Amino acid sequence: MFDFLQGYDVLGAFWMTVKLTALSAVGSLVWGTLLAAMRVSPVPLMRGFGTVYVNIVRNIPLTVIILFTSLGLADIFGVTMGASDFKVQGFRLAVLGFVAYTAAFVCEAVRSGINTVPLGQAEAARAIGLTFGQTLRLVVLPQAFRAVIGPLANVLIALTKNTTVAAAIGVAEAAYLMKSMIENEAQTLLIGAVFALGFVVLTLPTGLILGWLGKRLAVKR
């Protein structure tokens, strides 16, 4: 029944999806947290940059951003991301595109968590001489992250599914292989079922584990 899978590296394709997701998630968390810090910063220029970035990027289709990283950065501006191999270059550019896009959603999730921290705690931190950066790092962000594990889990699940867009620039992840198999095999429904099950296996445990972690680490107020 599943003889059509022979000759195709399905596990390798899903491993590429996992690598795309993991690297993009780490980059998005870092960049998104910095954007959130900018959006609550007392410096107007930083607040303005964070607001403009988030509002623009969230309203651009992900496919457009991924194509821009490939056709725009690589083909027009010659950005290779330090890779001489075309496949490695495509992978790194895809990660860059996912980070740029997903960070906007991470930023809003983290900012919502920052807003849950009582204002009095930040005022108390400033009263004892802490700077804005120290207050954010030592007092506000630790509580904010505990409050937004659930929303961040949803962003991570969306990112996992969004990695299928990397097929548009030739990154050999799950959706790219599925497209090739559908073109070469007659088992369209079975192929779709196999890949759908693969994404369920990737995303369902993530949602359950992070949901449980979010409830366990929630700040009691």
Side-chain angles (χ1 to χ4, degrees), residues 6-215:
Q6 295 179 3
Y8 295 100
D9 188 10
V10 176
L11 291 179
F14 274 105
W15 175 238
M16 179 65 75
T17 295
V18 170
K19 290 193 292 184
L20 276 173
T21 302
L23 292 175
S24 301
V26 172
S28 300
L29 183 62
V30 173
W31 180 223
T33 302
L34 289 174
L35 286 171
M38 291 181 189
R39 294 209 64 182
V40 298
S41 169
V43 181
L45 183 61
M46 297 179 68
R47 286 202 310 273
F49 174 81
T51 301
V52 170
Y53 181 95
V54 169
N55 288 331
I56 289 178
V57 171
R58 283 198 307 171
N59 289 285
I60 297 177
L62 177 57
T63 304
V64 174
I65 293 177
I66 295 298
L67 288 175
F68 172 77
T69 60
S70 178
L71 301 178
L73 295 181
D75 295 348
I76 298 176
F77 298 105
V79 176
T80 62
M81 301 292 290
S84 55
D85 182 80
F86 178 77
K87 291 183 179 180
V88 176
Q89 176 183 311
F91 175 83
R92 293 179 180 177
L93 288 170
V95 170
L96 178 63
F98 288 131
V99 169
Y101 179 78
T102 310
F105 297 90
V106 172
C107 167
E108 291 302 274
V110 173
R111 189 168 71 95
S112 68
I114 291 174
N115 290 335
T116 66
V117 179
L119 184 60
Q121 294 192 21
E123 293 175 345
R126 287 196 296 269
I128 63 174
L130 295 183
T131 64
F132 170 77
Q134 291 173 325
T135 301
L136 200 64
R137 186 176 73 255
L138 300 175
V139 178
V140 178
L141 284 180
Q143 297 182 71
F145 279 122
R146 291 175 65 180
V148 297
I149 293 177
L152 287 178
N154 292 333
V155 174
L156 177 59
I157 291 171
L159 172 61
T160 305
K161 294 183 290 186
N162 286 342
T163 55
T164 56
V165 178
I169 59 174
V171 179
E173 46 74 62
Y176 186 85
L177 179 60
M178 184 179 71
K179 179 177 179 294
S180 299
M181 291 177 66
I182 289 175
E183 291 174 351
N184 298 325
E185 306 293 338
Q187 305 289 345
T188 304
L189 291 178
L190 284 177
I191 292 172
V194 167
F195 282 89
L197 178 61
F199 276 99
V200 169
V201 170
L202 289 179
T203 57
L204 185 58
T206 300
L208 292 175
I209 292 172
L210 291 179
W212 171 82
L213 192 63
K215 293 179 181 178

